[in-house]
Amino acid sequence: NGKRVKVKPSIFVKADQQYIKDWSSLENFRNESGFKVGCKKNRVESWKEEDDFVQKKFERYVFEVELENRNDVVLNNLTVEYRIFYEQEENERGGKKYNTEKVIPGKLDIDRMEAKEIRRLNTNPVVIYETDFNLTDYYVEGGDPQSASGDIKGIWIKLTTKTPQGLSSSRDIYEPLSIKGKYTWNN
């Protein structure tokens, strides 16, 4: 009749009691208060390469993903999939500049995450670069090329966990949140 009623799980058969227990453990995974995810971009290396015409400044970044299981329940079979989105400007002959959108995919599997455990993981690295042209004594047909640079736009993380009985739950995390809806997972 559409009314809500609270009952104890013990009124159900054992299989349904296990389903309720599994479902409630996944509920804690689905929200920030039960399972917190943080993400921070870190520059881990920088270097330069130079010749008579071009100077390139490279920077290597990783995202540190921090997972905090705030539950009293162990999580099994946790999968952390991600896509790092970035743009790299390129130059072609004649001084024209264009942007290339790029994606770094990755996946991390965690067999077991204990209750109250905090774990930090690093993504695959992303290398972006800035190009400056040293052409004071040279003529380039079509005009001098322009400097070019790269920019990391953000990371999209998909978290999935499964209970031993096969129930699964997923979450999407965006850093920064402004990239939500701008990219597709299969880029």
Side-chain angles (χ1 to χ4, degrees), residues 66-120:
E66 182 178 275
L67 307 173
E68 182 179 354
N69 184 5
R70 295 176 167 181
N71 297 299
D72 291 327
V73 177
V74 172
L75 291 173
N76 294 300
N77 305 314
L78 184 64
T79 301
V80 181
E81 290 184 275
Y82 61 85
R83 302 289 187 267
I84 301 171
F85 301 97
Y86 69 106
E87 290 181 358
Q88 183 64 57
E89 289 180 326
E90 305 285 351
N91 285 292
E92 57 183 36
R93 292 187 151 226
K96 293 181 182 176
K97 186 166 45 171
Y98 61 95
N99 269 340
T100 304
E101 286 189 353
K102 299 185 177 195
V103 179
I104 301 281
K107 182 178 178 182
L108 306 162
D109 291 316
I110 301 171
D111 292 333
R112 182 178 173 89
M113 192 159 178
E114 298 296 332
K116 308 298 183 192
E117 180 182 353
I118 296 174
R119 194 173 296 194
R120 289 175 186 86

Side-chain angles (χ1 to χ4, degrees), residues 53 91-97 133-136 138-147:
F53 304 105
N91 285 292
E92 57 183 36
R93 292 187 151 226
K96 293 181 182 176
K97 186 166 45 171
F133 294 90
N134 306 318
L135 300 172
T136 54
Y138 299 93
Y139 171 75
V140 177
E141 189 176 323
D144 288 344
Q146 301 173 18
S147 64

Side-chain angles (χ1 to χ4, degrees), residues 11 44 96 123 161:
I11 70 165
V44 293
K96 293 181 182 176
T123 65
T161 190

